[in-house]
Amino acid sequence: VAKKMTKDIHQIMMLCFNSVKAKLQVQNGFFELLGFDFLVDESLKVWLLEVNKNPALHTNSEVLMELTPPLVADTLEVVLEVYNKSKRQDRILPLVNKRNFVMLHHEDRR
């Protein structure tokens, strides 16, 4: 069940990304952290509620205190690795610091 829900979430995220991909500007040294909010109904169907361009990174609950700081730290590690490789004109992949992130899209720009 969890594998199917994860697959569904990834598919929805890719549909969202592909719908705006042409409008995104790639700038070295810039990144965005998006927040995808999902709902799972009683039949375990996954629904996208919203996508936040500037998600709240509060730590005002036990769950958020456990999730948010590692998310921010891991995101910055990936961003800095990509930035440094790009600056040196090295290949971006493979990522050393990918942690638990899953790459849903890769487009080689060279």
Side-chain angles (χ1 to χ4, degrees):
V1 173
K3 273 187 171 183
K4 178 167 179 2
M5 286 176 30
T6 300
K7 181 181 174 201
D8 292 347
I9 288 170
H10 289 171
Q11 287 177 332
I12 292 168
M13 292 172 79
M14 281 308 303
L15 284 170
C16 292
F17 174 75
N18 286 329
S19 70
V20 299
K21 181 170 72 169
K23 297 178 182 182
L24 299 176
Q25 294 179 352
V26 176
Q27 288 183 283
N28 210 14
F30 290 84
F31 74 97
E32 289 192 47
L33 178 64
L34 302 176
F36 284 76
D37 293 345
F38 293 95
L39 176 76
V40 180
D41 68 17
E42 64 276 352
S43 64
L44 302 179
K45 181 170 172 52
V46 176
W47 297 90
L48 176 67
L49 293 178
E50 64 181 352
V51 180
N52 297 297
K53 186 176 177 180
N54 188 12
L57 297 173
H58 300 292
T59 56
N60 55 358
S61 74
E62 268 187 54
V63 171
L64 292 175
M65 188 63 169
E66 189 176 317
L67 295 176
T68 302
L71 170 68
V72 171
D74 291 351
T75 300
L76 288 175
E77 281 190 33
V78 170
V79 167
L80 290 172
E81 179 180 344
V82 169
Y83 176 75
N84 289 327
K85 285 180 174 180
S86 178
K87 195 173 172 181
R88 293 186 311 259
Q89 296 184 336
D90 291 345
R91 291 194 60 76
I92 302 300
L93 297 177
L95 293 173
V96 174
N97 295 312
K98 96 173 188 146
R99 306 288 181 171
N100 291 318
F101 291 111
V102 175
M103 184 173 300
L104 298 179
H105 174 78
H106 170 65
E107 186 173 304
D108 196 352
R109 297 204 173 262
R110 289 191 251 184

